[in-house]
Amino acid sequence: AGVFASPRRGLNLVLLCVGHWIRELPADEAGSPERVRAHLERAVTDFDRAMRAHRARGGRPTLLMVCPTGALAVEIDSLIAHAEGELVSRLGGVAGLQVIRSVTSHGRYGVGASDVHDPLRDRIGHIPYRDEYFHVLATLAMRHAHRRVSAPHKVVVVDADNTLWRG
């Protein structure tokens, strides 16, 4: 019944950083791959259920953008990558929901590994990205939104006097 359920023209946007789900764990559990795996599995299932319930209500389309997580321990990074893949796979066919991973556009926008995360601001205020990367996320969101909500252009070209091409 909230803003996300509104049938008005537009697009819902959800930016998700799966790695931030680990912050919910106590410090002693956050370093344990077994505990993290179990927590991420529950979180993926819960999020999947929530997004399906949201889309079952209809309303305007939703764009889910899966954003990158900063480097953690190698085992934890692989668990996060697996959880992201699981989410993309589970939610890929849900009507009215488009799921994208922002990292797939890094090459297009010239984003390098050092251009994404801001460890100091993340530690101090849970602001995970550099300002420039927020610009990249905003650009991706707006390009998808524009494609989704704008009417397609239809053009008919008639060349009755052969000025555009010959014959």
Side-chain angles (χ1 to χ4, degrees), residues 22 25 29-30 32-44 75-76 78-80 82-83:
I22 296 173
L25 291 172
E29 292 182 21
S32 164
E34 297 80 25
R35 300 277 175 108
V36 169
R37 177 182 292 111
H39 179 69
L40 288 176
E41 286 173 359
R42 283 189 307 274
V44 164
E75 302 89 18
I76 305 300
S78 67
L79 293 172
I80 291 168
H82 177 73

Side-chain angles (χ1 to χ4, degrees), residues 38-103:
H39 179 69
L40 288 176
E41 286 173 359
R42 283 189 307 274
V44 164
T45 300
D46 291 346
F47 191 82
D48 175 44
R49 250 188 259 133
M51 287 307 293
R52 287 177 187 278
H54 158 66
R55 289 310 316 149
R57 292 178 165 257
R60 58 187 150 194
T62 300
L63 171 63
L64 170 61
M65 190 181 310
V66 180
C67 301
T69 301
L72 302 170
V74 175
E75 302 89 18
I76 305 300
D77 284 346
S78 67
L79 293 172
I80 291 168
H82 177 73
E84 290 173 353
E86 186 68 22
L87 264 179
V88 170
S89 143
R90 285 185 185 193
L91 295 172
V94 175
L97 176 66
Q98 183 179 10
V99 183
I100 63 168
R101 293 175 99 163
S102 62
V103 295

Side-chain angles (χ1 to χ4, degrees), residues 3 5 7-8 11 14 16-17 21 36 40 53 55 57-58 61 63 66 69 73 82 104 118 125 137 152-153:
V3 177
R8 293 178 308 197
L11 178 77
V14 178
L16 174 67
C17 182
W21 288 341
V36 169
L40 288 176
R55 289 310 316 149
R57 292 178 165 257
L63 171 63
V66 180
T69 301
H82 177 73
T104 61
D118 189 329
L137 293 175
H153 298 283

Side-chain angles (χ1 to χ4, degrees), residues 3-4 16 28 64 68 73 77 91 97 111 113 116 136 144-145 152 158-159:
V3 177
F4 271 89
L16 174 67
D28 60 325
L64 170 61
D77 284 346
L91 295 172
L97 176 66
V111 175
V116 178
V136 170
H144 281 276
V158 178
D159 184 17

